[in-house]
Amino acid sequence: MTDFPHNWPTAYPKLSVSAQFRTQQDDFFVSEITNRQLHASGPHLYLHIEKRGVNTHWLARQLANHAKIDLKDVGYAGLKDRHAVTRQWFSLPLKNNEPDLTHLFAKDEFTLLSKGYYGVKLKRGALGGNAFRIVLRNVQGDQAKINQRLELIRNQGVPNYFGEQRFGHDFENIQQAQQLFESGKRPRNRQKASMYTSAARSYLFNNMLAKRIELKQWDIPMEGEVFGFAGSLRGFKQENNEDERNRLRAQRIHPSCALWGKGDALSEGALAQLEQTQAHAYPLLSQGLEKQGLKQERRATRMLLPDLFWQWQDDSTLVLRFNLASGYFATSVLRELGEINVLERDQQEASRD
């Protein structure tokens, strides 16, 4: 197996700070944000569920079993961790009568918060974002410096890395992607195939972003820049006009890096060279993504947190609250604070979710 280095740099100088994360289940709370207006009737039943101690795939299977439908017909917008309290939307197609889910919601780990109806199935990525509440315990470090760092993050954002949970325990998803590309065969489980290719794409992106951080150009444009929007996979070439500069200063647009695939990456000059160098460093991954038919897309290099708030419950307990766009990772925020330790069992379960 090829080694996959992942000691990616932080944007800001290291703080002498340590803390523990997710030592208790309630320390990690995530709630999906949706702008979808539900109706009193429709062909798809939407369920807003709070869950504890189970991952998204497991709950989807339970819903399918109780509703007597195929698992592939259960819709959800994203994956949520097992070791957390999460509020998430699911959709079920209605054929004749609405399914009786009373027995499922009699269990302590599930609570039905609300329900409604909509015209189409809930698809992956179809959400406005996620609201997070994170509790850090046993915080060691200068409280004033931590507050200053959080102010800096709120004003300037953090690098928009994919979180390590994307890559699986011991980077197993990348290794599986490598095997997939070497064999040229797609596994029977399409969800796993998608997970492996996403991991490969995310790894190349993180390497590109890391190089921009080393060059101190992760949040400012470089030659041949392609700008993008938060949460968008599209980009547009740098025009170097006043309107563009004003939008950049107002943080309405962001520099970007390639999500590798076939076709034109849009970038030119120094940025194109940087992206190609990082992609070609792992030819099996980059060529495999192209052969799988994935098209070139873009991802912003900067993640903004203008609504970041925090509170010290006591001298060693820090509570963070913030919202992130779909596909953005809370761990990318935490890594800019210091050494945030998570129990190994949590990391293993997160890689399976």
Side-chain angles (χ1 to χ4, degrees), residues 154-305:
R154 180 161 60 186
N155 292 332
Q156 297 186 23
V158 298
N160 193 18
Y161 282 121
F162 286 97
E164 290 197 10
Q165 58 266 48
R166 171 62 61 94
F167 309 113
H169 182 59
D170 286 341
F171 271 55
E172 181 182 1
N173 291 348
I174 299 287
Q175 295 170 4
Q176 291 292 338
Q178 186 170 259
Q179 290 182 346
L180 172 66
F181 298 153
E182 283 178 332
S183 68
K185 298 178 181 179
R186 295 185 66 85
R188 294 179 180 177
N189 189 320
R190 296 178 63 183
Q191 284 187 333
K192 286 188 176 181
S194 176
M195 181 170 63
Y196 300 153
T197 54
S198 293
R201 210 179 194 198
S202 301
Y203 182 74
L204 296 181
F205 173 89
N206 276 13
N207 286 346
M208 296 173 192
L209 176 53
K211 182 56 65 174
R212 289 193 66 150
I213 292 172
E214 291 175 1
L215 297 172
K216 301 187 185 303
Q217 291 182 305
W218 68 276
D219 60 345
I220 60 173
M222 58 189 300
E223 182 196 1
E225 188 62 71
V226 179
F227 290 111
F229 302 96
S232 173
L233 299 178
R234 297 184 178 182
F236 58 93
K237 292 184 178 182
Q238 185 177 25
E239 297 178 355
N240 279 316
N241 56 40
E242 190 60 30
D243 177 65
E244 183 180 83
R245 287 188 284 271
N246 288 336
R247 295 167 75 192
L248 183 63
R249 280 193 291 268
Q251 298 181 327
R252 295 198 298 269
I253 59 175
H254 310 281
S256 72
C257 281
L259 291 170
W260 202 257
K262 65 179 183 180
D264 184 8
L266 294 180
S267 56
E268 299 175 342
L271 179 56
Q273 183 176 0
L274 180 153
E275 292 175 349
Q276 290 167 8
T277 298
Q278 296 305 313
H280 294 162
Y282 295 91
L284 189 58
L285 298 185
S286 57
Q287 293 172 17
L289 291 167
E290 294 171 16
K291 291 177 181 178
Q292 291 290 323
L294 275 74
K295 295 181 180 179
Q296 285 275 357
E297 293 176 311
R298 307 296 301 183
R299 177 180 169 94
T301 59
R302 177 174 60 184
M303 181 169 72
L304 296 179
L305 297 100

Side-chain angles (χ1 to χ4, degrees), residues 22-69:
R22 294 197 299 184
T23 58
Q24 301 177 22
Q25 194 174 79
D26 289 355
D27 288 352
F28 190 23
F29 175 84
V30 188
S31 180
E32 289 184 345
I33 301 169
T34 180
N35 52 11
R36 186 165 286 180
Q37 185 66 43
L38 300 182
H39 308 293
S41 63
H44 291 265
L45 172 64
Y46 274 54
L47 304 170
H48 194 203
I49 300 173
E50 180 175 292
K51 62 182 182 64
R52 294 169 175 264
V54 297
N55 65 35
T56 301
H57 286 149
W58 193 90
L59 179 51
R61 285 194 294 271
Q62 297 302 306
L63 288 168
N65 292 339
H66 282 77
K68 296 180 173 57
I69 60 176

Side-chain angles (χ1 to χ4, degrees), residues 130-132 134 305 307-309 320-324 330 333:
N130 293 289
F132 292 86
I134 288 174
L305 297 100
D307 58 356
L308 170 64
F309 296 97
L320 307 175
R321 290 183 175 86
F322 51 88
N323 297 340
L324 294 180
V333 181

